[in-house]
Amino acid sequence: MTRGTCAAALVCGALLSQTAGAQNDQTARFEVASVRPNELGARSFLLAYRNGRFTARYHTLKELIRVAYNVTESQVLGAPAWLDVDRFDVLATSPGTPDSPRGLITPTVQSMLRALLEERFQLKARIESREVPLFALAVARQDGALGPGLRRRTTPCTLRGVGELGELFGPLPAVRTQCGGRTAPGMLLSTGTTIGDLVWALSRPELVPGVGRIVIDRTGLTGTFDIDLRWTPDAFLDRSQSAAPSPSSDSNEPPLFTAIQEQLGLKLERTTGPVDVLVIDHFERPTPNE
């Protein structure tokens, strides 16, 4: 996902600590995979898994690593400059692997992507735990009342027609579009979202610039929510990099931390704690497709 729109949901898989155990799962592999240097330029930042097909367009190796291990930029250590410069197109298939009910990149697909990176890029990486500054997301009010922008969802996510994605993937039975999310400078909207999804998004500077730390969940809230969060972005942020204009960019919305408290009824508290980081030990440019 890139800053701008987030068409599926605000989270693309399990947390690093949850996927680490599947890192050496040799049974989860794509049946057929193509990895090619991008030649068409920034025509699309598509990254999706639909109907047994994984597609990533115009992505760097670092971005693919972040998806495979579900980590932030600051959690990837030992990466040289070209990992964030050279761009690739990846198309891989696994017909027997089901889609996520919410259009997410599932832990199984993450495991297959890790295996692909190990094979084509000779990637060797390890997970370490390090003590770092964090933010803890907590309920702001003593009575536990939530803000107007954080509403419990009473209906499940449902399936809807394929729509415009049919042109990309061919005929599909259905695409999960009712629940999902979108971010832009000064705006985060989502439906059918867990608090875990929210802290994941707040931890990603490409989605919500301005937090600056990994966020952990101490709200105690369970279930799914619809979220409407709007704030005034910091003046130094380059809004021209966004793929979509922000409806809040010219408004009188509050700063981000104030908006989280007033609109969601939550607050960010400074703390420290252990965080998993991914240390890259070895990698090579991709081997040619067979």
Side-chain angles (χ1 to χ4, degrees):
M1 291 182 291
T2 59
R3 193 192 324 174
T5 59
C6 175
L10 294 180
V11 60
C12 288
L15 295 174
L16 173 63
S17 59
Q18 296 172 313
T19 61
Q23 182 178 357
N24 297 318
D25 182 1
Q26 300 301 317
T27 65
R29 292 182 177 273
F30 292 115
E31 291 189 11
V32 180
S34 168
V35 179
R36 299 178 182 274
N38 177 269
E39 298 177 350
L40 298 178
R43 295 192 176 189
S44 171
F45 283 91
L46 176 67
L47 192 149
Y49 180 80
R50 294 283 189 274
N51 198 35
R53 181 177 295 186
F54 174 83
T55 305
R57 295 178 180 170
Y58 197 69
H59 282 271
T60 66
L61 175 55
K62 183 181 285 188
E63 289 168 345
L64 294 173
I65 290 172
R66 287 170 55 191
V67 172
Y69 290 88
N70 198 22
V71 292
T72 67
E73 175 104 10
S74 62
Q75 288 174 279
V76 180
L77 306 181
W82 77 263
L83 263 70
D84 213 16
V85 175
D86 294 0
R87 295 187 176 273
F88 302 91
D89 295 334
V90 179
L91 176 62
T93 60
S94 180
T97 302
D99 295 2
S100 161
R102 298 176 56 216
L104 312 182
I105 303 297
T106 65
T108 299
V109 177
Q110 287 179 311
S111 181
M112 291 189 291
L113 181 56
R114 290 194 293 272
L116 179 64
L117 296 177
E118 291 170 3
E119 177 184 352
R120 298 296 174 87
F121 291 88
Q122 300 301 305
L123 177 67
K124 298 184 186 304
R126 53 193 163 86
I127 296 169
E128 294 183 358
S129 180
R130 299 191 180 183
E131 192 84 6
V132 299
L134 305 170
F135 278 120
L137 187 68
V139 175
R141 293 182 51 170
Q142 291 186 348
D143 61 5
L146 303 179
L150 184 62
R151 303 175 298 277
R152 287 196 176 274
R153 186 171 180 85
T154 58
T155 57
C157 298
T158 59
L159 302 182
R160 298 176 67 181
V162 62
E164 69 277 3
L165 289 184
E167 298 178 2
L168 298 175
F169 296 98
L172 301 183
V175 173
R176 290 80 175 175
T177 57
Q178 176 141 351
C179 289
R182 188 162 75 94
T183 66
M187 183 186 72
L188 185 153
L189 305 176
S190 185
T191 55
T193 299
T194 67
I195 297 300
D197 297 343
L198 176 60
V199 299
W200 189 93
L202 293 174
S203 299
R204 264 61 182 178
E206 68 273 21
L207 295 179
V208 184
V211 176
R213 295 185 182 185
I214 294 173
V215 181
I216 60 175
D217 178 17
R218 289 184 181 170
T219 65
L221 298 173
T222 60
T224 57
F225 299 83
D226 293 344
I227 297 175
D228 186 341
L229 178 64
R230 302 170 190 267
W231 68 96
T232 297
D234 291 340
F236 64 83
L237 294 177
D238 182 3
R239 295 173 187 161
S240 66
Q241 296 180 10
S242 174
S246 168
S248 302
S249 58
D250 296 322
S251 68
N252 294 319
E253 301 291 352
L256 175 59
F257 282 48
T258 303
I260 290 173
Q261 185 158 340
E262 293 179 350
Q263 299 172 20
L264 305 186
L266 306 176
K267 60 182 178 179
L268 290 172
E269 301 175 327
R270 296 179 184 271
T271 185
T272 59
V275 168
D276 288 334
V277 296
L278 186 71
V279 181
I280 298 177
D281 293 321
H282 181 78
F283 50 86
E284 298 175 9
R285 281 182 165 81
T287 56
N289 293 301
E290 297 180 355

